[in-house]
Amino acid sequence: MKKTILITGATGGIGQAIAKKLAESDQQYDLVLHYHSNESTANELQKYMTYKNINCRLLRFSSCDRDNCKKQLERDMTENGSYYGVICNAGITRDNAFPAMSGDDWDIVMRTNLDGFYNILNPIIMPMVRAKQGGRIITMSSVSGIMGNRGQTNYSASKGGLIAASKSLAIELAKRKITVNCIAPGIIETEMAEQIDPQMIRQIVPMRRAGKAIEVASLVEYLLSDGAGYITRQVISVNGGMI
């Protein structure tokens, strides 16, 4: 039986790369792709999966909406069974110097990036445990969550909290053979990083370039694999040597 993988934020740059990488995997996963507002990209991604002969279904909801998250995920699991793997990839930025940062910008980043961890994973964990098949949970943090970054107090706080939450959950689930790991990308060639000056990238990244989304996706593919069964509670950076 194929393993089912849920990818949140699947229409973003890294989310799309993960979905396409898993579509090419020898494991041949069934994919559940979550999105919030980008319906056209979600539909194009589903067409790509059909072309690749991958079983794929779409889920649309806001990861900030706790009740609707629970409703949509429980309905999907009732109809199709529990997930083997979850990639918590949905996230946003609202950058500004802290004295000028609005309460709304603080709240929406925390609700999406950190509260989303609870909203997505809380309804999913017990079905995974009851399935007794083990599992993989991968959360997407950032180098900003490790070392902080100017103008990203809200983002750094949310991503740092995500690391702590992932480490704690890893302890709870280890005896169930469910691994929990955190990936912390640096500057990756996605829409989120388009505003960064290339000269600055060369100055702050020892490899003198931005990373590619496929380089993050390749790590996700490995962490989902049977070969990564003894790796848990880790934070793995993909950052070209920034830290």
Side-chain angles (χ1 to χ4, degrees), residues 11-12 16 35-44 60 191:
T11 56
Q16 289 187 62
Y35 70 103
H36 177 210
S37 58
N38 198 340
E39 185 173 13
S40 61
T41 300
N43 289 333
E44 287 299 317
R60 182 175 189 173
E191 184 177 340

Side-chain angles (χ1 to χ4, degrees), residues 12-19 21 140 183 185 187-191 209-220 238:
I14 291 177
Q16 289 187 62
I18 293 169
K21 183 66 175 176
M140 204 64 65
I183 297 176
I187 301 172
I188 306 297
E189 291 178 349
T190 63
E191 184 177 340
R209 68 171 177 89
K212 300 181 185 302
I214 187 62
E215 293 172 314
V216 179
S218 295
L219 177 56
V220 170
V238 183

Side-chain angles (χ1 to χ4, degrees), residues 169-195:
L169 186 60
I171 299 171
E172 293 186 18
L173 295 179
K175 65 182 179 181
R176 307 290 187 176
K177 299 181 181 179
I178 299 172
T179 66
V180 185
N181 291 292
C182 193
I183 297 176
I187 301 172
I188 306 297
E189 291 178 349
T190 63
E191 184 177 340
M192 193 178 286
E194 284 181 351
Q195 305 303 316

Side-chain angles (χ1 to χ4, degrees), residues 56-106:
C56 171
R57 57 187 183 272
L58 301 178
L59 291 181
R60 182 175 189 173
F61 56 82
S62 168
S63 59
C64 300
D65 187 338
R66 182 167 298 162
D67 291 340
N68 197 36
C69 277
K70 181 180 174 69
K71 177 182 177 181
Q72 297 283 353
L73 291 168
E74 287 183 343
R75 182 178 66 182
D76 186 62
M77 289 185 291
T78 297
E79 294 175 355
N80 301 287
S82 63
Y83 310 120
Y84 174 80
V86 185
I87 296 99
C88 293
N89 175 67
I92 62 169
T93 59
R94 292 290 187 274
D95 296 351
N96 209 338
F98 186 70
M101 185 175 291
S102 70
D104 287 344
D105 284 347
W106 177 274

Side-chain angles (χ1 to χ4, degrees), residues 63-239:
S63 59
C64 300
D65 187 338
R66 182 167 298 162
D67 291 340
N68 197 36
C69 277
K70 181 180 174 69
K71 177 182 177 181
Q72 297 283 353
L73 291 168
E74 287 183 343
R75 182 178 66 182
D76 186 62
M77 289 185 291
T78 297
E79 294 175 355
N80 301 287
S82 63
Y83 310 120
Y84 174 80
V86 185
I87 296 99
C88 293
N89 175 67
I92 62 169
T93 59
R94 292 290 187 274
D95 296 351
N96 209 338
F98 186 70
M101 185 175 291
S102 70
D104 287 344
D105 284 347
W106 177 274
D107 290 343
I108 190 60
V109 169
M110 296 299 288
R111 287 203 302 268
T112 302
N113 299 353
L114 187 54
D115 290 358
F117 174 94
Y118 177 89
N119 297 344
I120 297 293
L121 291 178
N122 184 259
I124 288 172
I125 295 299
M126 285 312 300
M128 290 179 73
V129 169
R130 286 192 290 266
K132 297 182 179 179
Q133 300 296 317
R136 302 284 187 266
I137 295 171
I138 301 168
T139 62
M140 204 64 65
S141 182
S142 166
V143 292
S144 294
I146 299 173
M147 66 182 194
N149 192 29
R150 183 188 299 271
Q152 289 194 318
T153 306
N154 52 356
Y155 186 72
S156 297
S158 67
K159 293 298 189 177
L162 195 60
I163 289 172
S166 299
K167 284 178 170 286
S168 295
L169 186 60
I171 299 171
E172 293 186 18
L173 295 179
K175 65 182 179 181
R176 307 290 187 176
K177 299 181 181 179
I178 299 172
T179 66
V180 185
N181 291 292
C182 193
I183 297 176
I187 301 172
I188 306 297
E189 291 178 349
T190 63
E191 184 177 340
M192 193 178 286
E194 284 181 351
Q195 305 303 316
I196 302 176
D197 183 356
Q199 180 61 32
M200 181 180 294
I201 293 174
R202 288 191 289 272
Q203 289 174 353
I204 66 177
V205 180
M207 292 190 74
R208 298 178 62 80
R209 68 171 177 89
K212 300 181 185 302
I214 187 62
E215 293 172 314
V216 179
S218 295
L219 177 56
V220 170
E221 182 186 23
Y222 172 66
L223 290 175
L224 287 173
S225 72
D226 292 341
Y230 200 55
I231 300 173
T232 195
R233 206 184 176 198
Q234 301 305 303
V235 181
I236 305 173
S237 286
V238 183
N239 60 43

